[in-house]
Amino acid sequence: MIRDFPLPDLGEGLTESELVAWRVSVGDRVELNQIIADVETAKAVVELPSPYAGVITALHAAEGETIDVGAPLFSCDTGEPDASSPAAGAASPSSQPAPAAPASSSAGADVVAEAAPGPNLVGYGAAAETGPKRRARRSALVADLVPAVPESPADATAAEAAQGPAAATARTERPRSTPPVRKLARDLGLDLEAIDGSGERGLITRDDVERAASALAMPVPDDVSSLIAGAPVAAGAAPAETRIPIKGVRKHTAAAMVRSAFTAPHVTEFLTVDVTATMELLRGLRDDRAFAGRKVTPLTVVAKAVCIAARRTPEVNSRWDEEAQEIVRFGGVNLGIAAATERGLVVPNVKGAERMTLIELADAIAALAETARAGRTSPADLSGGTISITNIGVFGIDAGTPILNPGEAAILAMGAVRRQPWEHRGEIALREIMTLSLSFDHRLVDGAQGSRFLADVGAILREPGVALTMA
């Protein structure tokens, strides 16, 4: 029996995903829960497992195509008897009325959609649909890349004979690379088949793709040639432009920032702090063998300070429920850490951060950052945040006006640590200084509450021992 697998709702309330890479080809045999594709939601790249065991008969989308949730993704022959076939006890074709012809056959043979729900994969449970199934969308590109499913053994034999050795070549294993590298090659117009991989077992790396791109002879545009030759350029000529599709993480981030900026009345306060004592603490921890290999940074201390200060000012760790007309205060801190990735800004969060020690926080933040850079942040890590931190100091920036993560009441931006003259014990000394920028939702947080929270964070960074008096 041929089963269609529709793109599932990945549990994020999203309506579409981009197909990053196929892990299988038409004709491959797959096992239950074998990874068949990488899809990029508005938040992360997710590995999609197969809910069936069988042979792949059709792929309904090409890499780089955006697919609606519920649209067919691939078809699989599970080997089960078809309820409508004679072998399953149905009457012979001569005794049955002929089925109605499809409205259009330009996309090839239609695959029968399974009425009963397929296996429910953990984390990929799409809601059961009622009413007619949507037909598989096949663009011209997909029709070229994916052969239609033959309706009979005779058709299959004829199709194989027509395709000849080219079909066998198309089914060979494609060059080994990661989804970000494949996307880079696609954006640069490069064929991975022509690139030799320098990584382990021939893996094609980003450096390999960039070297191949730089080796190509780029033609000089006509307008540039005219400038070199001294020919005049038409007055008022528009400069060259590049158009980049808005999709994936960038699309989600843009929508979230606009929604936040025009829904929550933002207030931003700034505090410049002498963090010399905090930096001395960190240097001492790095020299301590007990903390060897642990990445304890200023961000770690700021994270701990935010957790302590949020307990003293719970208004910053809350949410505005417009529908219920209620303020929801969270019992714990799911601390969001803004991370800049190749796909855009993501804000994974550390669950239960208020219960962690400084070292546990350091390990959790490092793990989140590594996963985010690899584009493998799970939907669970991206949801449920209660308050966030953004480290703009890593870019050499001192202060800013951060926009709230939707559904949160506050976000703290930490600036760069700079050595500069500062008043210390009645004298001018060279100290290590940081500026903190706190944005908060004025519906939830009054000015006095936001100021008290920011002052508490600053006090801990100024003298880490003060945290013992706040616990």
Side-chain angles (χ1 to χ4, degrees):
M1 176 181 292
I2 305 297
R3 291 177 181 256
D4 271 350
F5 177 57
L7 179 69
D9 179 358
L10 299 177
E12 303 175 76
L14 304 174
T15 59
E16 62 184 20
S17 296
E18 178 186 347
L19 178 62
V20 176
W22 283 111
R23 301 280 193 93
V24 296
S25 303
V26 173
D28 288 354
R29 176 169 292 279
V30 297
E31 302 298 330
L32 179 66
N33 286 332
Q34 177 180 334
I35 302 301
I36 52 98
D38 295 325
V39 295
E40 182 180 6
T41 70
K43 296 182 178 180
V45 174
V46 178
E47 294 180 334
L48 200 62
S50 171
Y52 311 121
V55 177
I56 300 296
T57 59
L59 305 178
H60 297 296
E63 293 181 357
E65 183 177 347
T66 298
I67 313 161
D68 292 333
V69 169
L73 186 62
F74 71 93
S75 299
C76 180
D77 185 352
T78 61
E80 299 173 355
D82 191 330
S84 62
S85 67
S92 62
S94 62
S95 64
Q96 296 291 333
S104 172
S105 59
S106 61
D110 287 339
V111 181
V112 179
E114 181 68 14
N120 186 15
L121 303 179
V122 176
Y124 299 94
E129 295 182 356
T130 58
K133 292 283 186 179
R134 298 166 64 181
R135 290 182 52 172
R137 299 180 304 161
R138 293 174 183 260
S139 62
L141 175 61
V142 178
D144 290 339
L145 296 177
V146 184
V149 181
E151 296 181 350
S152 67
D155 292 340
T157 303
E160 290 178 2
Q163 292 172 358
T169 303
R171 295 181 182 180
T172 58
E173 183 180 358
R174 61 173 172 268
R176 297 180 65 251
S177 61
T178 60
V181 172
R182 286 195 289 272
K183 183 177 185 302
L184 175 62
R186 187 165 60 248
D187 293 343
L188 295 174
L190 298 178
D191 183 3
L192 289 178
E193 295 279 359
I195 300 176
D196 294 329
S198 62
E200 184 177 357
R201 296 170 57 193
L203 180 71
I204 298 175
T205 65
R206 172 175 290 274
D207 290 340
D208 296 331
V209 173
E210 291 174 347
R211 277 194 299 269
S214 63
L216 292 176
M218 301 301 292
V220 180
D222 293 338
D223 55 344
V224 177
S225 300
S226 299
L227 286 175
I228 296 174
V233 178
E241 62 180 30
T242 300
R243 291 180 174 267
I244 303 172
I246 303 173
K247 58 184 179 179
V249 175
R250 178 64 59 191
K251 182 177 180 179
H252 171 78
T253 301
M257 293 299 97
V258 170
R259 185 170 71 251
S260 176
F262 289 96
T263 301
H266 285 56
V267 174
T268 305
E269 295 183 342
F270 304 91
L271 178 64
T272 302
V273 185
D274 180 353
V275 296
T276 305
T278 291
M279 300 307 293
E280 290 175 349
L281 170 66
L282 294 176
R283 285 188 283 268
L285 292 177
R286 290 169 190 154
D287 293 338
D288 191 331
R289 292 183 178 179
F291 301 104
R294 316 305 276 271
K295 193 175 181 180
V296 186
T297 66
L299 173 60
T300 313
V301 181
V302 171
K304 187 63 178 176
V306 165
C307 292
I308 295 172
R311 185 167 59 244
R312 289 163 55 89
T313 309
E315 291 82 4
V316 301
N317 194 45
S318 59
R319 176 175 63 86
W320 182 276
D321 189 335
E322 182 67 31
E323 183 176 352
Q325 286 295 291
E326 295 176 339
I327 294 174
V328 181
R329 287 191 180 173
F330 300 109
V333 176
N334 289 349
L335 186 60
I337 306 295
T341 71
E342 292 183 355
R343 291 181 173 82
L345 176 69
V346 294
V347 190
N349 60 82
V350 178
K351 301 293 193 293
E354 83 285 354
R355 300 190 301 269
M356 295 183 176
T357 65
L358 190 67
I359 300 303
E360 289 171 340
L361 262 178
D363 291 344
I365 292 173
L368 281 183
E370 181 178 354
T371 304
R373 282 193 296 268
R376 297 294 178 185
T377 305
S378 68
D381 286 338
L382 290 165
S383 59
T386 63
I387 186 172
S388 296
I389 299 173
T390 177
N391 185 5
I392 60 177
V394 295
F395 304 107
I397 304 301
D398 295 322
T401 55
I403 297 178
L404 294 169
N405 206 27
E408 298 178 10
I411 180 171
L412 181 71
M414 52 180 290
V417 177
R418 300 188 184 279
R419 291 181 61 84
Q420 62 187 60
W422 194 259
E423 191 276 329
H424 178 64
R425 296 178 181 176
E427 298 180 356
I428 300 298
L430 196 60
R431 307 288 289 177
E432 293 175 285
I433 309 300
M434 173 192 290
T435 298
L436 303 173
S437 309
L438 175 70
S439 291
F440 54 86
D441 185 342
H442 216 340
R443 298 175 300 176
L444 293 156
V445 184
D446 294 336
Q449 296 163 343
S451 299
R452 182 169 61 245
F453 171 79
L454 185 57
D456 282 347
V457 174
I460 294 173
L461 296 178
R462 188 180 296 110
E463 181 48 67
V466 171
L468 298 176
T469 67
M470 296 182 181

